[in-house]
Amino acid sequence: MSRQDLTYRPIVPEDLHDLRAAHQALFPIDYESHFYECVIHSRDNIFSWAAVCRDVEVQSEILVGFVTARTFRLYDCTLTDRACMGLGSRLLDQETVVYILTLGVTDQYRHLGVASQLIQRVIAFAQHQLCRAVYLHVIEYNLAALSLYRRNKFEELATLRNFYFIGTGRQPDPNKHSYDAFLYAFLINISYNASPLAFLNATYAPFRSLLGQLQACLPWAPRHSNYFSHAVRQRSYGPIKAARSSVQPQDQGMLWRMFSRNQ
């Protein structure tokens, strides 16, 4: 197979069967139906890309690679991850970041640059949306993924001890359940001169932060309702049940976990 055989496009509902099969084959955890529904319908701030090839015999497309990612505000990010990325200031609470959820390529299409193409599309989206960073967690034994992200200019920022807890038996050592994770991030330098709206957003940030502190003193105020609804929805996804973070409970506002496989 060659690169010329491939095209890239957003994931659509018709990809559901191939998407589910690829996740089950590549990852040591099981994802719930709600996760796939959000991906194929672009819900809950999730966006995605698929690498597909054309099956001439049946006149259909076959999904051979994918990336799923989610945008959210830094307020919803864990304090640990924010600090490691240098984005811990409360003045940045309303700024956005992108978190890579899953990334995978089927065996037959590896070593063709498919994964890098998918990553670059995520980065381009984040830059266009003026996000502060694209980041993810990579499990300790996935050496190919670590190399992949380094090649795509991601920085290794931290090691999180016992970050993952996997009990499916599909991990490399069925007798080992706890695994460390590495925090990788592609940090984006934003020029507010490029967007008047972004400039106003940055100017208004201190006032938003002050308003948030005032709301914290008012128990009847509707404080960050989106944050709590996100947390509830995230707990319905497969990765949440299989993951355990070593950070303190108050740092667990963003519960997504990422697995990727060699591309």
Short mmCIF file of all heavy atoms in Angstrom, two decimals, residues 59-86:
data_model
loop_
_atom_site.label_atom_id
_atom_site.label_comp_id
_atom_site.label_asym_id
_atom_site.label_seq_id
_atom_site.Cartn_x
_atom_site.Cartn_y
_atom_site.Cartn_z
N GLN A 59 -16.73 -0.92 -3.56
CA GLN A 59 -17.02 0.49 -3.74
C GLN A 59 -17.34 1.18 -2.41
O GLN A 59 -18.37 1.85 -2.26
CB GLN A 59 -18.18 0.68 -4.73
CG GLN A 59 -17.84 0.27 -6.16
CD GLN A 59 -16.74 1.11 -6.76
OE1 GLN A 59 -16.82 2.34 -6.78
NE2 GLN A 59 -15.69 0.45 -7.24
N SER A 60 -16.46 1.00 -1.45
CA SER A 60 -16.64 1.64 -0.15
C SER A 60 -15.29 2.03 0.42
O SER A 60 -14.24 1.60 -0.09
CB SER A 60 -17.37 0.71 0.82
OG SER A 60 -16.57 -0.43 1.10
N GLU A 61 -15.32 2.84 1.45
CA GLU A 61 -14.09 3.27 2.11
C GLU A 61 -13.84 2.42 3.35
O GLU A 61 -14.77 2.04 4.06
CB GLU A 61 -14.19 4.75 2.51
CG GLU A 61 -14.19 5.70 1.34
CD GLU A 61 -14.29 7.14 1.78
OE1 GLU A 61 -14.91 7.39 2.83
OE2 GLU A 61 -13.77 8.01 1.08
N ILE A 62 -12.57 2.13 3.58
CA ILE A 62 -12.16 1.36 4.76
C ILE A 62 -11.32 2.25 5.65
O ILE A 62 -10.34 2.87 5.19
CB ILE A 62 -11.36 0.11 4.36
CG1 ILE A 62 -12.19 -0.79 3.45
CG2 ILE A 62 -10.90 -0.65 5.59
CD1 ILE A 62 -11.42 -1.98 2.90
N LEU A 63 -11.68 2.35 6.91
CA LEU A 63 -10.93 3.16 7.86
C LEU A 63 -9.66 2.42 8.27
O LEU A 63 -9.74 1.29 8.78
CB LEU A 63 -11.79 3.47 9.09
CG LEU A 63 -11.19 4.40 10.13
CD1 LEU A 63 -12.26 5.30 10.73
CD2 LEU A 63 -10.52 3.61 11.24
N VAL A 64 -8.50 3.05 8.05
CA VAL A 64 -7.23 2.40 8.38
C VAL A 64 -6.44 3.18 9.43
O VAL A 64 -5.42 2.70 9.93
CB VAL A 64 -6.38 2.21 7.12
CG1 VAL A 64 -7.10 1.32 6.12
CG2 VAL A 64 -6.01 3.55 6.48
N GLY A 65 -6.89 4.37 9.77
CA GLY A 65 -6.25 5.16 10.80
C GLY A 65 -7.22 6.20 11.34
O GLY A 65 -8.17 6.57 10.65
N PHE A 66 -6.98 6.66 12.55
CA PHE A 66 -7.92 7.61 13.15
C PHE A 66 -7.23 8.38 14.27
O PHE A 66 -6.26 7.93 14.86
CB PHE A 66 -9.13 6.87 13.74
CG PHE A 66 -8.75 5.86 14.80
CD1 PHE A 66 -8.59 6.22 16.12
CD2 PHE A 66 -8.50 4.54 14.44
CE1 PHE A 66 -8.19 5.30 17.08
CE2 PHE A 66 -8.12 3.61 15.39
CZ PHE A 66 -7.97 3.99 16.71
N VAL A 67 -7.77 9.54 14.52
CA VAL A 67 -7.41 10.30 15.72
C VAL A 67 -8.69 10.94 16.24
O VAL A 67 -9.50 11.44 15.47
CB VAL A 67 -6.32 11.36 15.44
CG1 VAL A 67 -6.80 12.41 14.44
CG2 VAL A 67 -5.89 12.03 16.75
N THR A 68 -8.89 10.87 17.54
CA THR A 68 -10.01 11.55 18.19
C THR A 68 -9.44 12.51 19.21
O THR A 68 -8.46 12.19 19.90
CB THR A 68 -10.98 10.56 18.86
OG1 THR A 68 -10.32 9.91 19.96
CG2 THR A 68 -11.45 9.51 17.87
N ALA A 69 -10.03 13.67 19.31
CA ALA A 69 -9.51 14.70 20.22
C ALA A 69 -10.66 15.54 20.72
O ALA A 69 -11.76 15.54 20.16
CB ALA A 69 -8.47 15.56 19.52
N ARG A 70 -10.39 16.31 21.77
CA ARG A 70 -11.43 17.11 22.40
C ARG A 70 -10.87 18.46 22.81
O ARG A 70 -9.75 18.56 23.32
CB ARG A 70 -11.97 16.39 23.63
CG ARG A 70 -13.10 17.12 24.35
CD ARG A 70 -13.66 16.26 25.46
NE ARG A 70 -14.74 16.93 26.15
CZ ARG A 70 -14.71 17.32 27.42
NH1 ARG A 70 -13.64 17.07 28.16
NH2 ARG A 70 -15.73 17.92 27.97
N THR A 71 -11.64 19.50 22.58
CA THR A 71 -11.27 20.83 23.04
C THR A 71 -12.00 21.15 24.34
O THR A 71 -13.15 20.74 24.51
CB THR A 71 -11.62 21.91 21.99
OG1 THR A 71 -13.03 21.87 21.75
CG2 THR A 71 -10.88 21.66 20.69
N PHE A 72 -11.33 21.84 25.22
CA PHE A 72 -11.97 22.30 26.45
C PHE A 72 -11.15 23.44 27.03
O PHE A 72 -10.01 23.68 26.62
CB PHE A 72 -12.12 21.16 27.46
CG PHE A 72 -10.83 20.50 27.85
CD1 PHE A 72 -10.12 20.91 28.96
CD2 PHE A 72 -10.34 19.45 27.10
CE1 PHE A 72 -8.93 20.30 29.30
CE2 PHE A 72 -9.15 18.83 27.44
CZ PHE A 72 -8.44 19.26 28.54
N ARG A 73 -11.73 24.13 27.97
CA ARG A 73 -11.05 25.27 28.58
C ARG A 73 -10.08 24.80 29.65
O ARG A 73 -10.25 23.74 30.26
CB ARG A 73 -12.08 26.24 29.18
CG ARG A 73 -13.01 26.83 28.13
CD ARG A 73 -13.87 27.95 28.69
NE ARG A 73 -14.86 28.39 27.73
CZ ARG A 73 -14.62 29.23 26.73
NH1 ARG A 73 -13.41 29.72 26.56
NH2 ARG A 73 -15.59 29.57 25.89
N LEU A 74 -9.08 25.61 29.87
CA LEU A 74 -8.07 25.25 30.86
C LEU A 74 -8.66 25.09 32.25
O LEU A 74 -8.10 24.37 33.09
CB LEU A 74 -6.95 26.31 30.89
CG LEU A 74 -5.88 26.14 29.82
CD1 LEU A 74 -5.01 27.39 29.74
CD2 LEU A 74 -5.01 24.92 30.10
N TYR A 75 -9.80 25.74 32.49
CA TYR A 75 -10.44 25.57 33.80
C TYR A 75 -10.76 24.10 34.07
O TYR A 75 -10.75 23.65 35.21
CB TYR A 75 -11.73 26.40 33.86
CG TYR A 75 -12.41 26.33 35.20
CD1 TYR A 75 -12.07 27.23 36.21
CD2 TYR A 75 -13.38 25.37 35.47
CE1 TYR A 75 -12.69 27.17 37.46
CE2 TYR A 75 -14.00 25.31 36.71
CZ TYR A 75 -13.65 26.21 37.70
OH TYR A 75 -14.25 26.13 38.92
N ASP A 76 -11.04 23.34 33.01
CA ASP A 76 -11.40 21.93 33.15
C ASP A 76 -10.19 21.00 33.14
O ASP A 76 -10.35 19.79 33.24
CB ASP A 76 -12.36 21.51 32.03
CG ASP A 76 -13.71 22.19 32.16
OD1 ASP A 76 -14.01 22.69 33.26
OD2 ASP A 76 -14.45 22.23 31.16
N CYS A 77 -9.03 21.55 32.96
CA CYS A 77 -7.81 20.75 32.91
C CYS A 77 -7.30 20.51 34.33
O CYS A 77 -7.51 21.33 35.24
CB CYS A 77 -6.75 21.51 32.11
SG CYS A 77 -5.19 20.66 31.88
N THR A 78 -6.62 19.38 34.57
CA THR A 78 -6.09 19.12 35.91
C THR A 78 -5.02 20.15 36.26
O THR A 78 -4.28 20.63 35.39
CB THR A 78 -5.49 17.72 36.02
OG1 THR A 78 -4.26 17.68 35.28
CG2 THR A 78 -6.44 16.65 35.51
N LEU A 79 -4.92 20.46 37.52
CA LEU A 79 -3.91 21.41 37.98
C LEU A 79 -2.51 20.91 37.68
O LEU A 79 -1.61 21.68 37.35
CB LEU A 79 -4.08 21.66 39.48
CG LEU A 79 -5.43 22.25 39.92
CD1 LEU A 79 -5.46 22.42 41.43
CD2 LEU A 79 -5.70 23.57 39.22
N THR A 80 -2.31 19.60 37.79
CA THR A 80 -1.00 19.02 37.52
C THR A 80 -0.60 19.24 36.07
O THR A 80 0.52 19.69 35.78
CB THR A 80 -1.01 17.52 37.84
OG1 THR A 80 -1.29 17.34 39.22
CG2 THR A 80 0.34 16.89 37.51
N ASP A 81 -1.50 18.93 35.14
CA ASP A 81 -1.18 19.10 33.73
C ASP A 81 -0.96 20.56 33.39
O ASP A 81 -0.04 20.91 32.63
CB ASP A 81 -2.31 18.53 32.87
CG ASP A 81 -2.36 17.01 32.91
OD1 ASP A 81 -1.38 16.39 33.37
OD2 ASP A 81 -3.39 16.43 32.51
N ARG A 82 -1.77 21.44 33.94
CA ARG A 82 -1.61 22.87 33.68
C ARG A 82 -0.25 23.37 34.14
O ARG A 82 0.43 24.10 33.42
CB ARG A 82 -2.72 23.66 34.37
CG ARG A 82 -4.07 23.55 33.74
CD ARG A 82 -5.09 24.45 34.41
NE ARG A 82 -4.78 25.87 34.24
CZ ARG A 82 -5.63 26.86 34.50
NH1 ARG A 82 -6.86 26.56 34.94
NH2 ARG A 82 -5.29 28.12 34.31
N ALA A 83 0.13 22.96 35.33
CA ALA A 83 1.41 23.41 35.87
C ALA A 83 2.57 22.91 35.01
O ALA A 83 3.51 23.66 34.72
CB ALA A 83 1.57 22.92 37.31
N CYS A 84 2.49 21.66 34.58
CA CYS A 84 3.57 21.09 33.77
C CYS A 84 3.67 21.79 32.42
O CYS A 84 4.77 21.92 31.86
CB CYS A 84 3.34 19.60 33.56
SG CYS A 84 3.55 18.59 35.04
N MET A 85 2.56 22.26 31.88
CA MET A 85 2.57 22.96 30.60
C MET A 85 2.87 24.44 30.74
O MET A 85 2.92 25.16 29.73
CB MET A 85 1.23 22.76 29.88
CG MET A 85 1.00 21.34 29.39
SD MET A 85 -0.47 21.17 28.35
CE MET A 85 -1.79 21.34 29.59
N GLY A 86 3.02 24.93 31.97
CA GLY A 86 3.27 26.34 32.19
C GLY A 86 2.04 27.19 31.96
O GLY A 86 2.15 28.38 31.64
#
